[in-house]
Structures are given as structure tokens and as C-alpha cells.
Amino acid sequence: DVAPAILSTYGLEMLTLTGLNFGPNATVLTGCPSRKGSGTVNVALPRIIYANNIGLKYEAADCIILQSQTKITCRSVVGVGRQFQWQAIVSGQASPFSKATTDYKPPIISSIIGPGAFGSNTKGGDTFYLRGDFFGPAGSVHIDLVQYWNVEVKNIFLANSCRVEEAQRSMRCLSGKGVGKNFKYKVAIAGQDSNVGAYNGFYARPTLHGVKRTNDDPMDNSDTRGFTISLGETLPRYEVAVMNGENFG
């Protein structure tokens, strides 16, 4: 068994592993001297590995045998992920991995700021920041996705180039291509989903700059019927308007 079952992504928590055949709680063993030695043997400290099925692997720190044969204590290290199984290595002999599993705390989103979340160009590429906790170490390697969506249209958009800039607390992303408003946000890190943050993000509204015909002539003399019939023609010729603007999606 391993306690606690949920770890902080910050590490440094005291771990207790309970099992069998961990060896004595001593760093030096004394026995009968031999022709070549004094009879004392230095005992290596135990090693504790925890790994999961998506390839994450950590080694606990400061491990000692607290209680002879049955109990090891260590400190956890900075990490992210879930369903870690545990292995004890004592003097080169490794135990099977435990059936019991341990998770790091999942990420939490507490706020979102930046033009990429509030008024982004529909082409994307604008910066926004997610603030929260338990994002793990700085970098991008553990980020699965950052997505946002709304209930009305059910569009789901993905942020790009996301990276934990301030370890554990802040993540930077670029908005993806999209349209709409009233977005909710979610982060997934190392297989763990965050809470859903209803922060009502939005893309910029569409802006209309002008309307012209397909030949670039103005529309100010358009037929009110929406079509024209030229002299000698019997079928109507419908007019096509070209609208120029921004943030059409």
C-alpha cells in the first residue's frame, strides 16, 4: 500500500509504502569477518519508482527504511498524471509493480485573461493566459489540449502552442481559428481533465467594410427587384453582392 493516494503536483509530500522484505532499517550490517573484509557491509538506500501506462515515470526522493522489513518513507517529486503503480528496489532487487495506484491532483482553472480569449481575431493566433493550479512543471510536454466551446452552437475549438510559463500556476496559449461567444474552457494535462471554467470568452464580432458587385462596381444603382433584364434578354440576371470585412470566420 501507498499513502497518500492523491499527490500534489508540487512534490515534497511524505510518502509511506507498506510491504514485505524491504530489509533492515540500518545503513551498515555487521557480521563475521572474512579473510578479505572486516565483516561490515554498507546497505544501499531503497529506491522507489512510480510509473503509469502512458510512459510517465518518476523516482521518489529521500527514501529510507522506516520500519525494518515492512515500511519505507520517501518524498514525492514534482509531477503530473494518474494511475501510477509503485515499485521498490532494495539492493538491486526489484519488487513487482503494485496493484494499488496513485494520482497527482488534476489541473484547476481559476481565471482566463488576454485578447486571445476576449475579442480574438477569428483567424486565431492571439495570446491568452489560463491561471490556476496544479499545471505541473514549466514547458509544453505534458499538455494534452486546451479547448473551449459554447452550448448554443456546440462548436469546439482548440488553442495552439500552449505552454506552462509559470510552473503550476500559469499557462500561455494562442487562440485557434473560430467564431462565437460565451465560451467555456477546459485543460487536459497528462490524461487528467481540469474543471470546466465558464468565463464567457468570445471572438471579435464580424465587421462589414463595404459591398460591391463582382466586377468591383458599387451597388448604389442596384435594381430593387434584386435582378435585371437587359434589352433583348428574356431571363432575369440576378445580381451578386460581394461583402468585404473582417472576422467572418
Side-chain angles (χ1 to χ4, degrees):
D1 291 339
V2 181
I6 304 293
L7 301 177
S8 169
T9 57
Y10 291 76
L12 299 179
E13 289 186 294
M14 185 62 71
L15 305 170
T16 302
L17 294 88
T18 305
L20 296 173
N21 302 318
F22 290 160
N25 58 341
T27 57
V28 177
L29 297 181
T30 302
C32 296
S34 67
R35 293 180 181 179
K36 296 182 180 181
S38 64
T40 60
V41 177
N42 293 325
V43 179
L45 293 173
R47 295 175 57 209
I48 297 298
I49 305 296
Y50 50 114
N52 67 10
N53 59 7
I54 64 169
L56 292 176
K57 183 178 181 180
Y58 300 106
E59 182 167 351
D62 304 328
C63 296
I64 62 170
I65 296 177
L66 181 67
Q67 183 173 310
S68 181
Q69 307 297 341
T70 60
K71 191 169 291 185
I72 295 174
T73 60
C74 305
R75 291 194 182 276
S76 63
V77 296
V78 173
V80 289
R82 59 192 295 265
Q83 293 187 331
F84 289 95
Q85 295 175 291
W86 297 81
Q87 182 183 57
I89 303 173
V90 179
S91 294
Q93 288 186 299
S95 72
F97 277 96
S98 66
K99 293 181 180 179
T101 60
T102 301
D103 298 345
Y104 278 103
K105 290 182 179 180
I108 294 175
I109 305 173
S110 59
S111 65
I112 293 180
I113 60 172
F118 301 101
S120 171
N121 192 295
T122 57
K123 295 178 182 179
D126 292 327
T127 300
F128 67 97
Y129 294 87
L130 300 98
R131 310 291 193 192
D133 211 349
F134 310 121
F135 291 166
S140 60
V141 66
H142 298 306
I143 299 173
D144 299 328
L145 59 82
V146 175
Q147 66 181 26
Y148 48 102
W149 69 96
N150 59 27
V151 176
E152 295 85 358
V153 184
K154 294 182 172 61
N155 288 328
I156 297 178
F157 303 108
L158 296 177
N160 298 317
S161 303
C162 293
R163 179 181 179 85
V164 176
E165 289 211 328
E166 178 189 347
Q168 308 290 352
R169 304 302 298 274
S170 179
M171 187 185 303
R172 177 185 183 273
C173 295
L174 299 179
S175 59
K177 297 178 181 179
V179 291
K181 61 180 182 177
N182 297 330
F183 293 127
K184 299 181 178 182
Y185 294 80
K186 184 172 71 172
V187 172
I189 295 177
Q192 289 184 299
D193 289 344
S194 72
N195 59 310
V196 173
Y199 299 113
N200 297 321
F202 57 89
Y203 282 98
R205 292 182 178 183
T207 302
L208 184 63
H209 296 321
V211 181
K212 294 183 179 182
R213 291 187 170 92
T214 53
N215 63 2
D216 218 31
D217 288 341
M219 297 288 294
D220 52 6
N221 63 345
S222 298
D223 194 299
T224 57
R225 296 172 298 176
F227 61 87
T228 58
I229 301 178
S230 299
L231 186 65
E233 295 180 349
T234 58
L235 296 176
R237 181 184 300 168
Y238 291 96
E239 295 192 293
V240 178
V242 178
M243 292 177 283
N244 297 312
E246 295 179 281
N247 298 310
F248 291 164

